[in-house]
Amino acid sequence: IYGIPGVGKSSFGAQAPSPIFLGSEEGTNNLDVTRLPPTPKWVDVEAAVNELLTEKHDYKTLVVDSLDWLEPVLHQSICDKYNVKTIELAAGGYGKGYVEAVNEWIKFTKLISQLRDKRDMNVVFIAHAEIIKFSDPSNQSDYDRYSLKLYKKSAAKFREFVDSVLFANYDVLPKKDGTKTKAYGDDARYLFTSFKPGFEAKNRFGIPDKIPLSWDDYARETENDRSASP
C-alpha cells in the first residue's frame, strides 16, 4: 500500500490481524501496535525477519513501515561495504551499486516469502508516493503519475512480488468551473486497486477498482476472489 502522507497507510496495517511493525515511521506513534526493536543497519533488518521466522510468537502480520525508510538503510550497508559515500559510487560506480541493492531486495523478498509460506503470516509493505513524469509509448504522450517512492528497478521488483499494489488516496472529483477544472472532495479515503494512467495499482483477486481504505474491506474482497480461473 502506498499513497500520499497522512492518508492512513499505517492505520491500514494496524487493522490487520495481530500485526507487528518493522520500521521507524512516525506515523505509528499514535497507534497502539507492537514494534520490533530499531534496525539502524541492514543486518538488523534481516535479523528481525529471521527472528519472526524462527522464534515462537503469535503475530499474524508483518507490517514494513516503510519501504522508502528501509531503502536508505540498505544503500548505506552497500556504501559501508565499499567504503564510499553514495550508492552511485559503490561497486565501482556506473549504477553497479543500485544493481547490488536490487539483488539484496530479491534476497529479502525470498525471506519474506518464507514468512508467508512457513508461518502463514500476512505481509504489508507500506511506501510513500512520488509524482513522476511518464512517457506512454502506446499513444506517445507524457503525463504525471503516482509511483512508489523507491529506486525504479527496486519498485518494479516489489510490484512483481506482491499480490496487490494498493494506491491510497482521498476521493478527488474534477469539476468544470468556466474554462478551468477544479478538484473537489471530502474526507473519504479509498484504496484504488487497478492500474490507471494517474497511478500504479494491481491485484490478483478481481477486486473492484475502488474500495474503502480499511483492512476488513480488503480482506473481504480477497475472500470473494473474482479472478479468472486458469
Side-chain angles (χ1 to χ4, degrees):
I1 175 173
Y2 77 108
I4 62 173
V7 72
K9 304 180 293 295
S10 298
S11 296
F12 175 83
Q15 295 166 8
S18 302
I20 184 167
F21 276 64
L22 170 65
S24 59
E25 282 293 331
E26 293 182 356
T28 62
N29 287 347
N30 63 336
L31 299 175
D32 184 18
V33 295
T34 304
R35 298 173 181 82
L36 286 159
T39 51
K41 296 185 177 181
W42 186 249
V43 292
D44 301 322
V45 174
E46 295 176 317
V49 177
N50 270 309
E51 186 175 0
L52 288 174
L53 184 60
T54 58
E55 300 296 325
K56 184 177 180 180
H57 62 81
D58 296 323
Y59 298 110
K60 297 180 180 179
T61 306
L62 171 64
V63 182
V64 178
D65 192 7
S66 63
L67 281 177
D68 42 295
W69 158 82
L70 212 58
E71 186 170 60
V73 177
L74 172 57
H75 286 185
Q76 186 60 52
S77 72
I78 295 172
C79 289
D80 292 344
K81 176 181 175 181
Y82 292 99
N83 195 27
V84 295
K85 292 184 178 180
T86 67
I87 190 70
E88 287 83 4
L89 300 174
Y94 302 101
K96 294 179 181 178
Y98 286 109
V99 172
E100 190 159 330
V102 171
N103 290 334
E104 287 298 323
W105 278 131
I106 293 172
K107 294 178 185 177
F108 180 70
T109 55
K110 289 180 179 179
L111 198 59
I112 291 295
S113 292
Q114 294 183 58
L115 276 183
R116 296 192 306 183
D117 299 339
K118 296 182 179 181
R119 299 302 294 262
D120 197 27
M121 291 185 70
N122 303 298
V123 181
V124 178
F125 295 114
I126 294 175
H128 292 91
E130 64 177 352
I131 298 174
I132 63 170
K133 182 70 71 175
F134 180 74
S135 298
D136 193 336
S138 65
N139 54 25
Q140 297 182 341
S141 62
D142 295 338
Y143 49 86
D144 291 338
R145 68 190 299 187
Y146 285 103
S147 181
L148 299 177
K149 191 179 179 182
L150 294 172
Y151 171 62
K152 60 182 181 180
K153 291 186 178 180
S154 299
K157 288 297 179 184
F158 276 100
R159 288 195 299 269
E160 294 169 7
F161 174 64
V162 297
D163 294 316
S164 301
V165 177
L166 308 173
F167 175 57
N169 200 0
Y170 296 93
D171 198 19
V172 179
L173 303 173
K175 184 178 180 180
K176 282 286 187 181
D177 186 1
T179 59
K180 297 181 178 180
T181 300
K182 295 184 177 181
Y184 294 87
D186 52 28
D187 290 334
R189 308 172 192 200
Y190 291 94
L191 291 173
F192 297 88
T193 69
S194 300
F195 173 85
K196 293 292 185 295
F199 54 83
E200 299 166 341
K202 76 167 192 180
N203 75 86
R204 294 173 177 161
F205 308 104
I207 299 173
D209 289 349
K210 183 176 76 173
I211 62 174
L213 202 173
S214 83
W215 176 269
D216 288 344
D217 283 275
Y218 173 70
R220 183 163 50 250
E221 292 293 347
T222 58
E223 290 171 359
N224 297 329
D225 191 344
R226 303 177 185 85
S227 57
S229 168

